[in-house]
Amino acid sequence: RPLHYFEEVGSTSDVAKQLAEEGAEHGEVVVAEAQTAGRGRRGRSWFSAAGRNLAFSVILRPDLPPQRASELTLVASVALCQAVRDAGVEAGIKWPNDLVYQDRKLAGILTEMEAEADRVHWVVLGVGVNVNVREAELPEDLRPIATSLAEARGEPVPRALFLAAALTRLEEWLDRHAEEGFGPIRAAWRDFSDTLGREVSVRLGDRELVGTAEDIDDAGALLVRTGGGLERVLSGDVQLLR
Ligand code: BTN
């Protein structure tokens, strides 16, 4: 399957969406050395140091009803977490799909899709990994909240090898998900979770929820135990408190 390589693009996910619209196949990958307009979740921008980090997007054509497409985000976080651990960094997953090391962000995933009522046309999984960026190279506002594989491991990580490992893991977990459903993904996510059992604060639009992250349910929603009972969070921003 083609791997589309670019020195510089606005966003690999924008390129991948365009290719998907033009008929690109399941598994095609877009990777770039640099992004000038990297996008994060919730309309945020995504910083990616040119030549030091990894920014790639994978086109998927899953055989899933649109309501289940959000499971793919957790599939990707499990695969990526495994690849990071294989690279010697004991990362964990912050719900829903951030990879963190000692509460600092190592990687993020942005899932976008186009679907009809009962059919997914395409999903683009956009993955950004802080591989070899040094703390001093991060924008000041990110320094306290972000880190990289190299910082965590104390030595650089070859980016091409890491990309190959991440894609291999992704393929394995996508196959597993297609064959066995969400069950094994949920189990692995729980294993890798850095969220469950901890006090969290969840921002839900203009509301803030504080409680203990208890579990994820069979749709991947986060269950938070608060003074008022168990709350189910389908989307939101989680902060780990302690
Ligand atoms: C997040 O944590 O907010 C998600 C970040 C996703 C960033 C990646 S980098 C490759 C792909 N292209 C983009 O513009 N965004 C994703």
Side-chain angles (χ1 to χ4, degrees):
R1 276 166 303 214
L3 192 139
H4 307 268
Y5 171 84
F6 298 90
E7 284 290 335
E8 184 178 288
V9 293
S11 153
T12 55
S13 284
D14 290 342
V15 175
K17 281 178 1 182
Q18 184 66 39
L19 290 170
E21 289 295 339
E22 291 164 4
E25 282 175 38
H26 179 85
E28 289 192 31
V29 176
V30 178
V31 57
E33 292 290 344
Q35 292 189 124
T36 54
R39 295 184 287 108
R41 291 171 65 228
R42 313 190 147 253
R44 285 184 287 243
S45 65
W46 176 259
F47 166 81
S48 181
R52 291 241 193 279
N53 286 346
L54 264 179
F56 64 96
S57 298
V58 185
I59 298 165
L60 304 177
R61 299 200 182 268
D63 188 11
L64 275 181
Q67 317 81 263
R68 288 190 50 206
S70 62
E71 293 173 14
L72 295 171
T73 297
L74 300 188
V75 175
S77 66
V78 163
L80 199 61
C81 191
Q82 196 163 36
V84 166
R85 288 190 178 192
D86 292 343
V89 175
E90 274 308 289
I93 307 174
K94 189 182 90 162
W95 187 87
N97 56 4
D98 285 352
L99 251 62
V100 294
Y101 176 75
Q102 295 179 347
D103 290 352
R104 293 180 184 209
K105 189 148 160 171
L106 280 172
I109 300 169
L110 175 72
T111 313
E112 296 168 295
M113 74 160 169
E114 173 142 306
E116 279 171 76
D118 59 346
R119 199 169 69 89
V120 176
H121 293 244
W122 49 257
V123 169
V124 168
L125 279 179
V127 180
V129 188
N130 299 335
V131 183
N132 288 327
V133 67
R134 312 299 315 198
E135 219 163 280
E137 294 168 323
L138 291 169
E140 212 158 318
D141 55 322
L142 295 182
R143 262 173 238 167
I145 55 171
T147 187
S148 67
L149 299 181
E151 290 283 358
R153 212 172 71 149
E155 59 177 341
V157 172
R159 286 183 308 148
L161 284 184
F162 181 76
L163 174 63
L167 291 173
T168 302
R169 289 297 186 195
L170 186 62
E171 186 165 23
E172 280 171 20
W173 281 102
L174 284 167
D175 286 350
R176 184 109 196 255
H177 180 246
E179 281 157 23
E180 299 173 50
F182 189 58
I185 313 303
R186 184 183 181 193
W189 192 96
R190 281 183 177 127
D191 249 18
F192 289 156
S193 157
D194 202 13
T195 309
L196 301 183
R198 292 184 64 177
E199 288 293 306
V200 295
S201 138
V202 190
R203 186 172 301 281
L204 302 163
D206 51 2
R207 210 157 66 88
E208 180 137 340
L209 200 92
V210 177
T212 309
E214 216 166 74
D215 203 357
I216 55 166
D217 69 11
D218 57 10
L222 184 67
L223 304 174
V224 181
R225 174 73 59 190
T226 70
L230 199 61
E231 299 235 22
R232 180 168 185 266
V233 181
L234 263 171
S235 83
D237 254 340
V238 169
Q239 238 193 305
L240 303 171
L241 299 179
R242 51 169 191 268

